[in-house]
């Protein structure tokens, strides 16, 4: 394949309307910039592919308001981080699969966003989601070194796509509030879990996606207590949405756990926890980020000034 | 309050104050203006150019065919000139504040007021 054809194929990642306008000039520029090298540098290729995906995504999402996209992205990234943390702690730590890598990546992406590095969070979530999708397509879930089952991996991949589709926006106050919730709830859960195990009350680990020790009443109580403890600790300084977080942590697990268990036999608590975490994080972000018109205008101005 | 302009946009608008330029010339001028600290890649360059054009800050002045390939020349518009003036004034004000602070620090005024 000659160089020009190679670059043309690379530029196919851009929409046709963009190519009609810029392709010839871009081709000339890339060939001039190569300074005698046969192919563009890796940095140039990465830039081309990244911008191409960004332009295509922007065209696709143009009808959806920017503020809504930014909020959805933030909620998806934070929910994904929490879900990844739970999966890593209760299952993958003992039975690692190829999904562990994606879970660590999604946690890093969510944490970056909570630490105020939304751009880095988005940059991380795109390749990690790509990796998760590829493993979902090519690996078998029951193989020795397989992946998490599709009922876990595909919804997470969808969240990853949402997280990467726009640069997430969370105000500083919300970021710090969420960060506090995450850290203190994790500490509360760890303290309760260690206490129960050291007292010899029940067998806490290991848990599996489809096997291992069943997720029973004890685990439900543990999580519920941890959620309430974390919530009470935080209520002093945090707003009203923390209470729904604690309640939503308890109700689905306490009520729906046995029913789902009978119906599916597929780690029902995990599904319930996923729902709880996503609803709680989405609710928390949506409730705290007041949808004022000036916010939307400021966001649009910021995006335009890039 | 309008948000500050990003550096690539500022440098591109500054490069266009010298007259109409095509994409590759702009890449080179942005690098020169920033002492080679900002090196735009082709994908990013056209993304910023398209955005500035959408905002009405630049426009296409003319096309030129060189070695059978079309080149587009970009030019600064009137709103683009005003936006660049505003941004330059904002940066000057920031720099002036910093200089005032530095001169206070050097003259030891902060010790007296602390």
């Amino acid at each position: 394949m000659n160089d020009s054809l190679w670059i043309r194929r690379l530029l196919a990642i851009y929409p046709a309307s963009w190519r009609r306008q810029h392709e010839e000039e871009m081709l000339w520029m890339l060939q001039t910039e190569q300074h005698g090298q046969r192919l563009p540098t890796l940095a140039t290729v990465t830039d081309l592919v990244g911008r191409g995906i960004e332009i295509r995504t922007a065209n696709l999402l143009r009808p959806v308001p920017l503020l809504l996209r930014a909020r959805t992205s933030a909620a998806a990234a934070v929910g994904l981080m929490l879900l990844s943390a739970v999966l890593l702690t209760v299952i993958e730590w003992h039975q690692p699969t190829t999904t562990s890598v994606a879970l660590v990546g999604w946690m890093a992406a969510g944490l970056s966003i909570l630490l105020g590095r939304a751009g880095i969070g988005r940059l991380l979530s795109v390749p990690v989601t790509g990796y998760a999708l590829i493993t979902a397509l090519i690996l078998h879930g029951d193989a020795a070194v397989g992946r998490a089952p599709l009922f876990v991996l595909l919804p997470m991949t969808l969240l990853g796509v949402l997280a990467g589709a726009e640069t997430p926006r969370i105000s500083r106050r919300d970021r710090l509030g969420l960060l506090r919730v995450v850290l203190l709830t994790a500490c509360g859960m760890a303290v309760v879990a260690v206490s129960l195990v050291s007292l010899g009350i029940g067998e806490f680990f290991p848990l599996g996606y489809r096997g291992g020790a069943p997720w029973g009443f004890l685990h439900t109580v543990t999580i519920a207590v941890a959620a309430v403890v974390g919530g009470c600790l935080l209520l002093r300084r945090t707003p009203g949405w923390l209470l729904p977080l604690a309640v939503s942590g308890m109700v689905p697990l306490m009520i729906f756990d046995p029913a789902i268990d009978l119906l599916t036999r597929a780690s029902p608590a995990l599904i319930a926890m996923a729902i709880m975490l996503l609803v709680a994080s989405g609710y928390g972000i949506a409730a705290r980020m007041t949808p004022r018109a000036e916010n939307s205008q400021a966001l649009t101005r910021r995006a335009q000034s890039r | 309050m309008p948000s500050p302009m990003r550096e690539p946009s500022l440098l591109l608008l500054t490069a266009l104050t010298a007259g109409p330029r095509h994409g590759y010339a702009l890449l080179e001028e942005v690098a020169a203006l920033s002492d080679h600290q900002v090196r735009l890649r082709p994908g990013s360059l056209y993304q910023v150019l398209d955005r500035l054009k959408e905002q009405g800050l630049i426009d296409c002045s003319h096309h030129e065919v060189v070695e059978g390939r079309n080149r587009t020349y970009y030019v600064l518009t009137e709103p683009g000139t005003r936006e660049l003036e505003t941004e330059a004034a904002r940066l000057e004000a920031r720099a002036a504040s910093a200089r005032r602070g530095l001169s206070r620090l050097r003259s030891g005024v902060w010790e007296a007021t602390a």
Side-chain angles (χ1 to χ4, degrees):
Chain A
M1 192 191 302
N2 70 38
D3 301 354
S4 167
L5 190 59
W6 196 92
I7 296 172
R8 269 186 205 280
R9 291 215 171 152
L10 195 63
L11 293 178
I13 200 158
Y14 287 86
S17 58
W18 187 96
R19 290 203 304 275
R20 270 196 302 278
Q21 208 179 346
H22 298 304
E23 188 176 54
E24 285 301 317
E25 195 171 354
M26 178 79 98
L27 200 62
W28 168 73
M29 186 184 291
L30 286 167
Q31 286 173 338
T32 312
E33 213 195 17
Q34 279 165 237
H35 302 300
Q37 291 175 20
R38 251 196 102 238
L39 298 171
T41 61
L42 182 63
T44 303
V45 172
T46 310
D47 176 67
L48 280 179
V49 172
R51 300 303 167 194
I53 292 172
E54 209 170 304
I55 289 172
R56 274 197 188 270
T57 313
N59 284 353
L60 199 69
L61 297 175
R62 204 177 286 273
V64 184
L66 185 61
L67 188 64
L68 179 63
R69 278 170 10 217
R71 281 185 185 174
T72 307
S73 169
V78 174
L80 203 50
M81 181 192 75
L82 297 171
L83 193 53
S84 298
V86 171
L87 287 177
L88 266 178
T89 313
V90 303
I91 296 180
E92 294 273 342
W93 188 259
H94 304 275
Q95 299 169 23
T97 66
T98 51
T99 306
S100 302
V101 178
L103 298 179
V104 171
W106 279 324
M107 277 179 67
L111 203 59
S112 304
I113 291 163
L114 287 185
L115 292 173
R117 304 284 178 189
I120 295 175
R122 187 186 182 193
L123 268 179
L124 273 172
S125 61
V126 171
V128 172
T129 303
Y131 166 81
L133 188 61
I134 290 168
T135 58
L137 292 173
I138 64 171
L139 290 178
H140 196 274
D142 294 331
V145 184
R147 50 157 173 76
L150 291 180
F151 74 85
V152 171
L153 204 49
L154 288 183
M156 291 186 82
T157 305
L158 180 64
L159 283 175
V161 170
L162 289 174
E166 182 57 55
T167 305
R169 299 280 177 195
I170 316 182
S171 71
R172 183 180 155 77
R173 191 178 163 205
D174 292 322
R175 275 196 295 106
L176 296 179
L178 278 170
L179 196 60
R180 216 180 295 141
V181 168
V182 169
L183 291 177
L184 285 182
T185 306
C187 290
M189 284 171 69
V191 168
V192 174
V194 169
S195 308
L196 288 173
V197 171
S198 61
L199 290 170
I201 304 172
E203 189 181 329
F204 197 79
F205 293 117
L207 298 168
Y209 288 114
R210 291 178 190 279
W215 185 304
F217 185 68
L218 184 63
H219 308 106
T220 305
V221 173
T222 307
I223 301 291
V225 168
V228 173
V229 168
C232 290
L233 280 172
L234 293 164
L235 271 177
R236 197 162 50 89
R237 290 192 59 193
T238 47
W241 61 265
L242 191 72
L243 195 60
L245 177 78
V247 173
S248 64
M250 289 168 61
V251 174
L253 291 172
M254 300 289 273
I255 296 174
F256 297 114
D257 189 352
I260 297 173
D261 194 10
L262 286 173
L263 289 171
T264 65
R265 304 177 62 204
S267 284
L270 210 60
I271 298 169
M273 278 205 71
I275 295 166
M276 167 204 71
L277 292 168
L278 295 178
V279 168
S281 58
Y283 177 84
I285 292 168
R288 287 289 308 283
M289 294 170 77
T290 46
R292 290 181 187 154
E294 59 265 33
N295 283 354
S296 179
Q297 284 164 6
L299 195 60
T300 308
R301 274 202 303 274
R302 267 207 300 277
Q304 283 176 348
S305 71
R306 275 182 219 160
Chain B
M1 198 177 94
S3 52
M5 193 182 285
R6 300 222 173 174
E7 199 169 15
S9 305
L10 175 72
L11 290 168
L12 279 172
L13 293 182
T14 308
L16 286 172
T17 54
R21 293 284 185 276
H22 57 73
Y24 188 69
L26 286 170
L27 271 190
E28 299 286 302
E29 291 205 26
V30 163
L33 281 168
S34 64
D35 290 329
H36 295 274
Q37 286 176 354
V38 176
R39 182 77 200 168
L40 281 175
R41 308 230 168 247
S44 302
L45 171 77
Y46 283 104
Q47 196 184 31
V48 181
L49 285 175
D50 283 347
R51 192 172 289 139
L52 291 174
K53 205 175 148 204
E54 266 178 33
Q55 291 174 269
L57 304 182
I58 63 169
D59 205 354
C60 296
S61 67
H62 63 280
H63 298 276
E64 189 181 61
V65 179
V66 179
E67 295 169 10
R69 283 188 176 143
N70 195 26
R71 267 187 206 171
T72 305
Y73 281 74
Y74 297 89
V75 68
L76 199 59
T77 60
E78 191 48 44
T81 310
R82 281 201 301 273
E83 191 74 20
L84 186 59
E85 275 169 1
T86 309
E87 185 62 15
R90 193 189 67 80
L91 291 173
E92 276 166 3
R94 293 280 185 282
S97 301
R99 280 199 205 95
R100 279 197 299 276
L102 284 170
S103 51
R104 271 201 305 273
L105 179 73
R106 290 198 182 111
S107 61
V109 174
W110 64 273
E111 285 174 359
T113 55

